[in-house]
Amino acid sequence: MIRKIWGVARVEYLGFLTSKRVLFMLFAFIFLAEDVVAKMEKIATEQELPLGRFEPFILLFSYKIHVMLVPIVFVVMMSNFPSNEKSGYFTMSRINRTAWVFGEVIYAGLVGLSFILFLFLGTTAWVWKSSKFFTVWSPYMSELYVDFPEIYALNNQLFIKTETLAQGEPTEVMLHSVSLMFLYLLFLALLLMLFKLLSLKRIGIFFTVSITIIGATFDGYSKGIKWIFPITQSIYETHFHSYYAMAELPLYYSYIYFCVLIVGLLMINQWLVKRHIITED
């Protein structure tokens, strides 16, 4: 069974790496690098305050305007997930459908991890010369707002927020950010699979993009409703109060939240795939 599952995942993943869809990762990185990383590096260099090596990457997964781009690009790359090409039907006929579902889910996870790793390596390489490895937050994050308040006020979107700086160290925040975003991307992939199995592919794409945008919009407007949306659960800083040294929602709640959603969707998709044939919309 494991060999069959990995076979499906490997074939699909290799197909992705050799397709034009992989270019979306490059386009997303270029946009984020020019819009965020390059500006951070310029300010840090001009004020002679070194950046932390991981801080640009952490910021991309913290600021809601930037963090929206990652799941949206992922949905675009996975818009035809799971594949309904003839090779997909052939594979499904040679192995049992349960193995096919798990193979497709692993494939989606590999794409999500590849995207996150690509952003990490790209942002780290971009600021390598102007950054240092710190076990605590860099002078750029911890001192610039005091020494140069006017620069901070004009570029506050280029700084990690206080709730993040006060609640965790760079490596810890990065690991939580990666883990939560990975779970969110896996959740989106399973949603796309659900709608595809119901022959509602276009509605699935619209729905997954919509809950990402709407969820980011509700963050900051409603303390109760915002936790319904998965994207809010995937951002580290949203879990903490801005002015109090306490959690608004413990991080482990979000991990439980995503695990329940993912297991639930996996069970539903496994039930559907045994009773439906994937068709073109």
Side-chain angles (χ1 to χ4, degrees):
M1 174 68 79
I2 295 177
R3 186 175 180 180
K4 292 178 180 179
I5 292 172
W6 175 244
V8 173
R10 182 176 60 84
V11 170
E12 293 280 12
Y13 184 63
L14 290 176
F16 168 79
L17 292 179
T18 56
S19 71
K20 294 180 180 179
R21 289 173 293 159
V22 77
L23 293 175
F24 284 106
M25 293 197 299
L26 178 62
F27 297 150
F29 167 72
I30 292 173
F31 173 78
L32 291 172
E34 292 290 347
D35 190 55
V36 182
V37 183
K39 294 177 182 178
M40 292 177 69
E41 184 180 40
K42 181 181 178 183
I43 293 174
T45 302
E46 289 177 348
Q47 308 309 321
E48 298 182 349
L49 293 173
L51 278 165
R53 197 139 284 169
F54 305 144
E55 287 174 352
F57 176 76
I58 293 172
L59 180 63
L60 295 183
F61 284 68
S62 300
Y63 193 60
K64 64 181 181 181
I65 301 300
H66 301 139
V67 81
M68 280 195 301
L69 185 64
V70 176
I72 290 174
V73 171
F74 178 77
V75 169
V76 172
M77 291 191 296
M78 303 294 290
S79 59
N80 197 40
F81 176 79
S83 174
N84 56 357
E85 298 176 354
K86 291 181 179 179
S87 59
Y89 294 126
F90 179 70
T91 301
M92 190 188 295
S93 66
R94 293 180 64 241
I95 65 175
N96 65 67
R97 293 186 174 218
T98 298
W100 180 80
V101 168
F102 278 98
E104 292 288 341
V105 171
I106 291 175
Y107 154 62
L110 289 173
V111 173
L113 280 177
S114 298
F115 190 17
I116 293 171
L117 180 61
F118 184 76
L119 292 176
F120 170 73
L121 294 176
T123 54
T124 303
W126 191 289
V127 299
W128 189 267
K129 291 183 179 179
S130 56
S131 66
K132 296 180 180 178
F133 178 76
F134 292 103
T135 57
V136 295
W137 299 106
S138 71
Y140 172 88
M141 289 296 174
S142 60
E143 298 177 13
L144 192 144
Y145 76 97
V146 175
D147 298 334
F148 306 97
E150 67 286 351
I151 296 176
Y152 180 83
L154 292 172
N155 301 278
N156 62 348
Q157 76 278 11
L158 301 177
F159 295 85
I160 298 169
K161 292 185 178 179
T162 304
E163 45 264 54
T164 299
L165 299 178
Q167 297 294 335
E169 297 179 349
T171 303
E172 175 192 356
V173 174
M174 183 183 68
L175 291 175
H176 279 299
S177 298
V178 168
S179 300
L180 290 170
M181 179 55 66
F182 171 74
L183 291 173
Y184 183 41
L185 297 184
L186 193 58
F187 161 75
L188 292 178
L190 286 167
L191 264 186
L192 289 173
M193 176 181 281
L194 172 65
F195 281 97
K196 186 69 173 288
L197 292 172
L198 295 173
S199 300
L200 298 170
K201 182 181 77 172
R202 292 180 179 85
I203 294 177
I205 296 171
F206 175 79
F207 181 75
T208 51
V209 172
S210 296
I211 62 171
T212 296
I213 296 173
I214 294 172
T217 303
F218 268 98
D219 178 31
Y221 288 94
S222 174
K223 296 298 183 183
I225 297 176
K226 74 176 186 178
W227 295 113
I228 298 174
F229 296 94
I231 190 169
T232 306
Q233 304 273 356
S234 71
I235 303 174
Y236 183 91
E237 71 179 30
T238 60
H239 292 77
F240 302 97
H241 286 281
S242 301
Y243 303 105
Y244 303 103
M246 59 183 295
E248 184 176 325
L249 184 78
L251 282 168
Y252 71 86
Y253 277 36
S254 292
Y255 285 106
I256 294 173
Y257 172 90
F258 278 119
C259 287
V260 170
L261 288 179
I262 288 170
V263 172
L265 283 171
L266 189 58
M267 292 174 64
I268 294 171
N269 288 336
Q270 194 174 353
W271 180 83
L272 284 174
V273 80
K274 294 178 179 179
R275 291 159 177 79
H276 294 265
I277 297 176
I278 307 172
T279 58
E280 289 284 1
D281 296 323

